[in-house]
Amino acid sequence: MYYDIKESGKRIKELRKKAGMTQEGLANRLNISTVAISNMERGVNGVSLDMMGVLSEALDSSVDYIAFGKRTLVLDGGLSEEKVRAIMEFVKVMMG
């Protein structure tokens, strides 16, 4: 697993659109330029760790999803999406 700025940029764009925000709206919320948002989304510039945290809050996501494409459900230390699926499958089997 590694930080791919182009893939991360695609996820930022996807999350922004899902939140119903324009690049300008997100830029205003983060107090940065629309050019900076555009460069992030196109993978021209990477995102600093500080900005990653702010983005995750603004886009109602997690740093691990924005950076690596992995979703984590945080419950007492965190459960990965895979573990949550396995638990849900187990419950489904147990309930018949």
Side-chain angles (χ1 to χ4, degrees), residues 25-45:
L26 182 57
N28 287 338
R29 185 161 179 190
L30 301 178
N31 200 28
I32 61 176
S33 71
T34 54
V35 171
I37 296 293
S38 176
N39 286 342
M40 284 182 217
E41 289 184 356
R42 292 182 295 124
V44 173
N45 293 337

Side-chain angles (χ1 to χ4, degrees), residues 1-68:
M1 173 172 35
Y2 65 95
Y3 173 54
D4 181 326
I5 64 174
K6 288 198 181 290
E7 291 302 313
S8 176
K10 289 177 186 177
R11 287 187 290 275
I12 292 168
K13 182 176 182 177
E14 163 218 328
L15 290 166
R16 175 183 58 76
K17 287 186 170 194
K18 183 177 176 186
M21 278 191 258
T22 62
Q23 285 184 342
E24 183 178 16
L26 182 57
N28 287 338
R29 185 161 179 190
L30 301 178
N31 200 28
I32 61 176
S33 71
T34 54
V35 171
I37 296 293
S38 176
N39 286 342
M40 284 182 217
E41 289 184 356
R42 292 182 295 124
V44 173
N45 293 337
V47 180
S48 70
L49 185 55
D50 291 340
M51 182 56 68
M52 195 74 72
V54 174
L55 271 170
S56 70
E57 287 183 27
L59 298 173
D60 194 27
S61 188
S62 64
V63 170
D64 60 338
Y65 179 71
I66 294 171
F68 307 113

